[in-house]
Amino acid sequence: MGTEPSGPLRLLRETHEERVLSALRTRGALTRAQLVEQTNLSRATLSSIVQTLLGRQALTETSEEATTGRGRGRPVSMLTLNPAGGLALGMDLGHRGVQVTIANVAHEVVASDAVACAERTPSARRLELALDLVDDLTSRHEISLAALAGVGVGIVGPVTGDASRPEPGADLVRDTLGARFDVPVFVDNNTRLAALAEAVWGAGAGVSSALYLRLSYGVGGGLVLGGRLFAGAGGAAGELGHISVDRDGPACQCGGRGCLERYVSLTTLQERCTDVLEARDAGAHEVLAEAGARIGEVLAAACNTVNPEVVVVGGELADTGDHLFAPLRAAFGRYTHSQVRRTARITRAALGPDAAARGGIALVLTTTPQEASRP
């Protein structure tokens, strides 16, 4: 019978275990081969760690049939965190609605619902609506939050995460939910959380780097690197809507001029063509072609800088299909570096209206216990 390692060896083993757990928290179900790639551990070390974690019931193992070019292949063993190991709660306090989604640590959504609200609904009322949804979901689905690991919340507007600067909306959320649930509460911009959700569960799943652009009544984005949301020094990384496309253009509320958002937001486009989303006539097609070209040029500049594997485009405007994407891709190809052009894939977002709430869940799951405990 073996003995437990001690001293430096024990610390090393705990570090290796945390690598495995972190990879599964971030990515969801993985094969052993994928875990080797994600953790940079040798196959022998990984096998030992996995057996220990399975023995503790920290992990579960299932078999899935692999899909090959000729159809289904032999079963593949998949490892996940034990679903009984805890829950994460995601909320989106959006412009026009409030969404609440609950998932377990194995990335399985166990309950989700939404309620509409007016744009002028105060932040405190949105939070009340979210908590009412939590009560309804837990009652309806008989869910206990005793093992809640954390809450991730998306709000409208910038979130810097700088404790020395008051952020009324974010502070209200942290204080209210911290007092209610007594768990770590993470708050970020809801568009950036949608970017994280697409990278974990949606169109960017399985890649290491994803750039997300949301085209709605506002234009925003997010950057995910290595399965983690990249905030930048002030929390504004990925703000593609505020890249200038005309230095002599109209002033923007961000302080710049000629920002992309001023030209391609739904508000602006619908002022030019009320049925732009239906794209039924030549006038709408022309408006979408101009917007697509501007968007493609901005995406090219961003991708020349960060060189992501995939560019995910979401929001209502993405539903116009090739009327937007054909000119977008043409401009992207015209302005990108050849290496970027060869490797970057542009695709529509895969998730629905719960994307930001699921991003809140992903934020909880991708935050290590050490980070969660920091003030």
Side-chain angles (χ1 to χ4, degrees):
M1 187 172 179
T3 58
E4 284 291 319
S6 60
L9 287 178
R10 181 174 181 177
L11 180 60
L12 180 62
R13 187 172 184 84
E14 288 174 351
T15 301
H16 289 167
E17 288 180 1
E18 179 51 37
R19 279 199 211 173
V20 172
L21 295 171
S22 178
L24 293 171
R25 277 195 299 266
T26 301
R27 298 289 187 181
L30 295 171
T31 65
R32 282 172 169 77
Q34 290 170 329
L35 273 171
V36 167
E37 182 180 342
Q38 291 291 322
T39 61
N40 291 318
L41 297 174
S42 70
R43 289 183 179 274
T45 299
L46 178 75
S47 178
S48 174
I49 296 296
V50 166
Q51 286 306 119
T52 298
L53 293 174
L54 284 170
R56 293 182 194 162
Q57 297 186 331
L59 306 184
T60 61
E61 186 170 20
T62 58
S63 292
E64 294 182 6
E65 281 192 305
T67 302
T68 67
R70 299 179 181 177
R72 292 202 171 273
R74 60 184 181 182
V76 174
S77 175
M78 305 296 294
L79 295 162
T80 64
L81 295 182
N82 188 335
L87 296 173
L89 178 60
M91 298 179 177
D92 177 16
L93 310 182
H95 264 304
R96 294 172 175 78
V98 171
Q99 175 85 39
V100 170
T101 300
I102 305 172
N104 60 37
V105 293
H107 286 220
E108 298 168 339
V109 172
V110 296
S112 186
D113 207 349
V115 62
C117 65
E119 282 190 66
R120 295 184 179 180
T121 303
S123 297
R125 177 56 184 155
R126 293 175 194 270
L127 202 48
E128 288 177 5
L129 291 172
L131 289 172
D132 288 344
L133 278 175
V134 172
D135 290 339
D136 178 62
L137 288 171
T138 53
S139 174
R140 196 177 351 141
H141 297 275
E142 298 183 342
I143 297 169
S144 169
L145 296 182
L148 186 65
V151 184
V153 186
I155 64 173
V156 176
V159 179
T160 67
D162 184 351
S164 66
R165 296 174 55 187
E167 294 180 302
D171 291 340
L172 172 67
V173 169
R174 292 189 190 99
D175 293 345
T176 303
L177 298 182
R180 168 71 181 268
F181 298 110
D182 193 26
V183 295
V185 178
F186 308 96
V187 184
D188 210 320
N189 170 265
N190 53 5
T191 299
R192 284 165 40 78
L193 289 187
L196 181 58
E198 287 288 346
V200 173
W201 285 294
V207 305
S208 295
S209 54
L211 184 69
Y212 175 81
L213 175 67
R214 178 171 173 79
L215 301 167
S216 184
Y217 292 93
V219 177
L223 179 61
V224 180
L225 302 174
R228 305 286 294 268
L229 192 59
F230 181 72
E239 276 289 356
L240 301 176
H242 295 288
I243 293 178
S244 177
V245 295
D246 181 1
R247 65 181 62 187
D248 297 319
C252 179
Q253 61 182 1
C254 75
R257 300 194 71 87
C259 292
L260 178 67
E261 184 174 272
R262 294 301 306 268
Y263 295 91
V264 304
S265 70
L266 273 182
T267 302
T268 300
L269 296 183
Q270 287 177 332
E271 287 173 357
R272 296 180 57 192
C273 179
T274 55
D275 68 343
V276 67
L277 288 179
E278 283 73 31
R280 289 179 296 198
D281 57 32
H285 297 169
E286 181 180 351
V287 168
L288 289 169
E290 290 179 16
R294 288 189 185 274
I295 294 163
E297 187 172 350
V298 165
L299 286 175
C303 289
N304 282 339
T305 303
V306 299
N307 193 20
E309 295 172 70
V310 64
V311 176
V312 180
V313 182
E316 293 92 334
L317 200 58
D319 293 336
T320 58
D322 283 344
H323 295 299
L324 178 81
F325 278 90
L328 186 160
R329 287 192 171 98
F332 184 83
R334 189 177 308 122
Y335 295 109
T336 43
H337 186 284
S338 58
Q339 286 178 273
V340 173
R341 189 161 56 252
R342 282 197 301 270
T343 57
R345 172 171 56 92
I346 300 175
T347 184
R348 285 175 60 181
L351 301 179
D354 67 337
R358 292 183 71 166
I361 290 167
L363 193 58
V364 173
L365 298 179
T366 57
T367 303
T368 67
Q370 292 84 356
E371 290 172 324
S373 64
R374 291 173 192 161

